[in-house]
């Protein structure tokens, strides 16, 4: 099978990991990055905000011409995989559909939710034209069906079998990525992640923070001594997960998350997953055995202290979590294979 892949090809992006998984599965994949086509617009501070809020409507003509040129090369494809799809509007889909092969959409965001305003305006108009729409939350599945999607597949998010592979020897992990309790993630307005971490710190939990935009936090001066660096990717990301004793996972409430990429990546990469107690987390892992969960900062602080004081308990949970996540069938390779098989059954 030969696949036309339309998505972000930045090596540190989750979409790139899916692209790599498709290639590892043995498929022939030609990849094209729509963000590069509009790079001058999307890297401009002001224009980027305008396009985000207008659902990239003003970029559609340019992307339509770009897609027509790709298909005009007369290459033969068996399937089109659109990853994210925020830049791909209705006329773009009509162009892709014109060659008579299945077109699927994989989106791990919350395109039918309210957090991002008009960001997914173009995508939602194109939704009924996809042969298969793949999403990661129940609400999105139900709302896509109401918006006219032909077939919707609900999946868990994924870890990547290669990108998130743990270090075989813990001594290889650089000292700058070792910590007691770590949070690896971005500061987000209205999510109160800074306040949560500050409560842990004030409770005596030795927190280390990696991620972007933390300088924007109103609590930056208090958090600054615990800040270890900006966003992590590649082996540095794995090192920080595997190099900490407890790895905290937080949800995006604006995105209606009940689990995130960290929910799978942390245990697979050899970290002990410590996150908010949700129905999906409880479905993935046995609490206190394969992962630990909390309802608020006070409970999280108590759990972290208990784990830091008990090396054997911490190691048992960490190893059990690693084993459990591998049994869930949520690696990129298995997930991508399931998506392709479902798409071909649909047509």
């Amino acid at each position: 099978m030969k696949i036309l892949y339309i998505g972000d090809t930045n090596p540190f992006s989750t979409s790139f990991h899916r692209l790599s998984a498709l290639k590892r599965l043995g498929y022939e994949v030609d990849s094209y990055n729509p963000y590069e086509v509009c790079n001058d617009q999307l890297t401009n501070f002001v224009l980027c905000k305008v396009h985000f809020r207008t659902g990239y409507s003003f970029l559609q003509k340019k992307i339509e011409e770009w897609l027509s040129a790709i298909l005009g090369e007369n290459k033969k494809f068996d399937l089109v995989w659109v990853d994210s799809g925020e830049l791909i509007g209705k006329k773009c889909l009509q162009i892709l559909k014109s060659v008579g092969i299945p077109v699927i959409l994989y989106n791990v965001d919350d395109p039918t939710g309210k957090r991002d305003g008009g960001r997914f305006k173009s995508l939602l108009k194109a939704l009924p034209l996809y042969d298969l729409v793949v999403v990661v939350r129940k609400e999105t599945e139900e709302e896509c069906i109401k918006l006219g999607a032909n077939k919707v597949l609900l999946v868990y998010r994924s870890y990547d079998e290669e990108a998130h592979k743990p270090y075989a020897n813990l001594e290889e992990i650089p000292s700058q990525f070792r910590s007691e309790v770590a949070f690896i993630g971005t500061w987000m307005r209205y999510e109160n992640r800074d306040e949560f971490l500050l409560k842990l710190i004030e409770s005596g939990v030795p927190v280390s923070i990696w991620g972007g935009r933390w300088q924007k936090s109103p609590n930056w001066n208090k958090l600054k001594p615990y800040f270890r660096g900006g966003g992590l990717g590649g082996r540095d990301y794995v090192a920080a997960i595997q190099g900490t004793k407890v790895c905290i996972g937080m949800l995006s409430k604006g995105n209606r998350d009940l689990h995130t990429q960290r929910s799978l990546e942390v245990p697979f990469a050899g970290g002990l997953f410590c996150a908010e107690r949700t129905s999906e987390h409880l479905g993935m892992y046995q609490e206190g055995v394969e992962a630990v969960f909390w309802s608020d900062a006070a409970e999280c602080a108590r759990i972290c202290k208990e784990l830091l004081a008990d090396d054997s308990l911490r190691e048992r949970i960490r190893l059990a979590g690693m084993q459990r996540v591998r049994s869930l069938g949520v690696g990129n390779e298995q997930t991508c294979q399931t998506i392709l098989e479902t798409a071909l059954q649909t047509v």
Side-chain angles (χ1 to χ4, degrees):
M1 181 189 293
K2 187 170 183 178
I3 299 171
L4 169 59
Y5 184 94
I6 308 294
D8 191 356
T9 54
N10 181 321
F12 294 139
S13 66
T14 58
S15 56
F16 178 80
H17 294 156
R18 288 185 285 276
L19 169 61
S20 299
L22 289 169
K23 292 179 178 179
R24 293 197 302 269
L25 287 168
Y27 296 107
E28 185 180 354
V29 186
D30 281 7
S31 59
Y32 295 85
N33 188 346
Y35 298 93
E36 291 180 353
V37 179
C38 307
N39 184 64
D40 58 334
Q41 299 274 313
L42 298 179
T43 55
N44 180 287
F45 180 77
V46 175
L47 291 178
C48 180
K49 290 183 178 296
V50 171
H51 290 309
F52 184 96
R53 292 173 180 171
T54 57
Y56 306 99
S57 299
F58 299 111
L59 298 177
Q60 290 307 296
K61 187 65 175 178
K62 190 171 188 178
I63 298 173
E64 290 162 20
E65 293 173 352
W66 173 70
L67 288 173
S68 294
I70 292 172
L71 296 178
E73 296 172 2
N74 291 320
K75 294 182 179 180
K76 299 297 182 182
F77 297 101
D78 300 297
L79 180 140
V80 181
W81 180 301
V82 177
D83 210 290
S84 174
E86 62 181 341
L87 301 184
I88 309 299
K90 184 176 181 179
K91 288 187 177 180
C92 291
L93 251 294
Q94 290 172 341
I95 292 169
L96 291 173
K97 294 279 289 183
S98 67
V99 294
I101 58 176
V103 183
I104 66 173
L105 170 69
Y106 183 108
N107 186 289
V108 298
D109 290 300
D110 190 3
T112 57
K114 297 179 179 180
R115 189 194 72 172
D116 292 335
R119 175 185 176 186
F120 295 104
K121 179 180 177 181
S122 295
L123 179 152
L124 295 177
K125 290 181 179 179
L127 206 60
L129 294 177
Y130 284 99
D131 295 288
L132 176 65
V133 175
V134 185
V135 297
V136 296
R137 58 181 56 76
K138 185 67 177 176
E139 298 93 336
T140 314
E141 177 190 31
E142 295 170 351
E143 290 158 4
C144 283
I145 292 171
K146 289 180 181 178
L147 289 169
N150 290 302
K151 183 173 180 59
V152 184
L153 175 66
L154 177 65
V155 299
Y156 278 137
R157 297 177 187 228
S158 309
Y159 61 79
D160 190 77
E161 294 85 348
E162 289 298 322
H164 303 128
K165 184 182 295 184
Y167 284 82
N169 185 350
L170 294 179
E171 295 180 358
E172 296 177 3
I173 298 174
S175 59
Q176 66 264 34
F177 296 117
R178 296 182 180 273
S179 64
E180 298 292 295
V181 176
F183 176 69
I184 307 166
T186 305
W187 174 82
M188 301 176 71
R189 193 182 301 276
Y190 309 125
E191 294 288 352
N192 299 322
R193 293 177 171 185
D194 49 354
E195 295 178 11
F196 184 92
L197 294 176
L198 192 57
K199 288 178 181 177
L200 295 187
I201 292 166
E202 291 171 345
S203 299
V205 177
V207 175
S208 294
I209 303 170
W210 281 274
R213 299 170 56 191
W214 283 95
Q215 294 83 352
K216 294 180 178 289
S217 165
N219 295 301
W220 169 242
N221 288 334
K222 294 179 180 178
L223 294 173
K224 187 176 180 179
Y226 305 91
F227 184 70
R228 299 281 293 273
L232 297 173
R235 298 308 290 166
D236 290 350
Y237 174 64
V238 173
I241 290 174
Q242 202 176 0
T244 192
K245 295 178 180 177
V246 181
C247 195
I248 294 175
M250 293 193 196
L251 306 173
S252 170
K253 300 300 175 57
N255 248 6
R256 303 185 290 180
D257 286 341
L258 293 177
H259 81 285
T260 70
Q261 294 289 140
R262 301 283 192 274
S263 305
L264 297 316
E265 293 170 354
V266 168
F268 181 80
L272 194 163
F273 188 52
C274 175
E276 185 171 346
R277 188 179 291 108
T278 70
S279 58
E280 290 183 4
H281 279 156
L282 291 171
M284 290 175 178
Y285 305 109
Q286 185 176 349
E287 182 171 4
V289 177
E290 298 162 337
V292 293
F293 303 123
W294 39 264
S295 295
D296 54 31
E299 186 178 12
C300 180
R302 177 181 60 77
I303 290 171
C304 286
K305 290 177 182 179
E306 291 176 357
L307 290 170
L308 293 176
D310 192 333
D311 293 349
S312 61
L313 172 63
R314 198 173 63 243
E315 186 65 3
R316 284 200 304 273
I317 296 174
R318 187 185 73 84
L319 292 175
M322 289 182 70
Q323 183 176 1
R324 171 60 175 169
V325 77
R326 284 161 171 76
S327 73
L328 290 175
V330 292
N332 274 332
E333 293 175 18
Q334 188 164 343
T335 299
C336 286
Q337 186 63 42
T338 298
I339 291 169
L340 292 176
E341 290 174 357
T342 304
L344 294 176
Q345 291 169 2
T346 301
V347 177

